[in-house]
Amino acid sequence: MSAHRDHDFIPSSYSRIIARELGLQERDLPRLLAGTDLPVDVLLAGDESRLTGRQQVQVLRNARTIAGAPELGLRIGRQLKPASHGPIGYLALSSPDLLTALQSLRDFLPLRIPFAQLDINEDGSWLRCELRITLQQDSSETRMLTECFAMALQSLVEAFLGRTLTEALFCFHFPRPAYYRAYGQYLQSMIKFEQPEDCLLIPRSLAGESNPSGDAASYAIARRLCAQMLEETPIAATAMTNRVRRFLLAQPLGSVTEADVAKSLYVSKRTLARRLNKEGTGYREVTEQLLSELAVRHLGEPGLSIESVALLLGYHDSANFRRAFRRWYGMPPADYRKQALMN
């Protein structure tokens, strides 16, 4: 068996996150993939390729060389929001309490990142979330992956709680790095180095913290509908419209801007606009079409109120959603739903 466990396969989406954090443009992408034997297409939105452990480690090495920044692991980890983990992240955020959310991540994470493991145990007044990276690589690469993992775990807990996590304790087995002062810019709780294992200690009192969204079921329905539409969207590297659409469907709606989308596709906003124009559309048209389609699908779910549909589509004011829906379909969403139920 290879030291880098070539039977482990990691979604290419994580390498796309690395490319975006580095601010790479299309011409720079081959540098990130040097030594992996992977085509540049794996870094394009919509690609569903999976990398071996060896290839993923090589991407990390290349990224470290390109960035020339020792804190790169923390920077990449900052981008690992729950949505980065696909349905697993949404499953966790749809859990009834924090402990269940963490257990969901523990149970399903190996399906997404086979070399990452999470063990959860009660330890006195703490909930111990032990992080384990099973890939074999040098100490600096292990540190980078552990930093990424710690940041991803913090992001999940904070997304669930709806606030910054300040009362936890991060423990790392490695010695305090030269850039240790930078940790405070990324991890909001206390930090200790040279500990027996890598883990996040969360106050046990938070384990039963209820989902603050109050509408976890609606969130799960929305994610399922987005996933269905994602499967229906053609994977076409040459079609910018499809690439934009696939990227938007993979994010919580309303959470990204046009600049974010352009960056994710390794182009400038101007280039994005030019390529969409060649396909006879524009960014606003793509997003409006997507929102209108999702609105109809959401309204087909009897468990979702009009207000819930508005929030799920990124409208914080349901009146704005109603106006948009009338513009799309010539009638209020409530009337559309009544007609659909009659047919």
Side-chain angles (χ1 to χ4, degrees), residues 39 56 107 247 282:
Q56 188 65 77
D107 295 341
F247 179 77

Short mmCIF file of all heavy atoms in Angstrom, two decimals, residues 39 56 107 247 282:
data_model
loop_
_atom_site.label_atom_id
_atom_site.label_comp_id
_atom_site.label_asym_id
_atom_site.label_seq_id
_atom_site.Cartn_x
_atom_site.Cartn_y
_atom_site.Cartn_z
N PRO A 39 -5.56 16.49 -15.27
CA PRO A 39 -5.86 17.56 -16.23
C PRO A 39 -6.40 18.78 -15.51
O PRO A 39 -6.99 18.68 -14.43
CB PRO A 39 -6.91 16.92 -17.15
CG PRO A 39 -7.62 15.97 -16.25
CD PRO A 39 -6.57 15.41 -15.33
N GLN A 56 -3.64 14.50 -3.71
CA GLN A 56 -4.08 15.59 -2.85
C GLN A 56 -2.92 16.19 -2.07
O GLN A 56 -2.82 17.42 -1.92
CB GLN A 56 -5.15 15.11 -1.87
CG GLN A 56 -5.79 16.22 -1.07
CD GLN A 56 -6.58 17.18 -1.94
OE1 GLN A 56 -7.70 16.88 -2.36
NE2 GLN A 56 -6.03 18.35 -2.21
N ASP A 107 -19.84 10.51 11.39
CA ASP A 107 -20.28 9.28 10.71
C ASP A 107 -20.11 9.34 9.20
O ASP A 107 -19.84 8.31 8.56
CB ASP A 107 -21.74 9.00 11.05
CG ASP A 107 -21.95 8.70 12.53
OD1 ASP A 107 -20.96 8.36 13.21
OD2 ASP A 107 -23.09 8.82 13.00
N PHE A 247 -22.09 26.13 -9.63
CA PHE A 247 -21.46 26.71 -8.45
C PHE A 247 -22.51 27.29 -7.51
O PHE A 247 -22.46 27.09 -6.29
CB PHE A 247 -20.45 27.79 -8.84
CG PHE A 247 -19.78 28.43 -7.67
CD1 PHE A 247 -18.75 27.78 -6.99
CD2 PHE A 247 -20.19 29.67 -7.21
CE1 PHE A 247 -18.14 28.35 -5.88
CE2 PHE A 247 -19.58 30.26 -6.11
CZ PHE A 247 -18.55 29.59 -5.45
N GLY A 282 -26.35 36.76 -19.07
CA GLY A 282 -25.53 37.55 -18.15
C GLY A 282 -25.68 36.98 -16.76
O GLY A 282 -26.55 36.13 -16.50
#
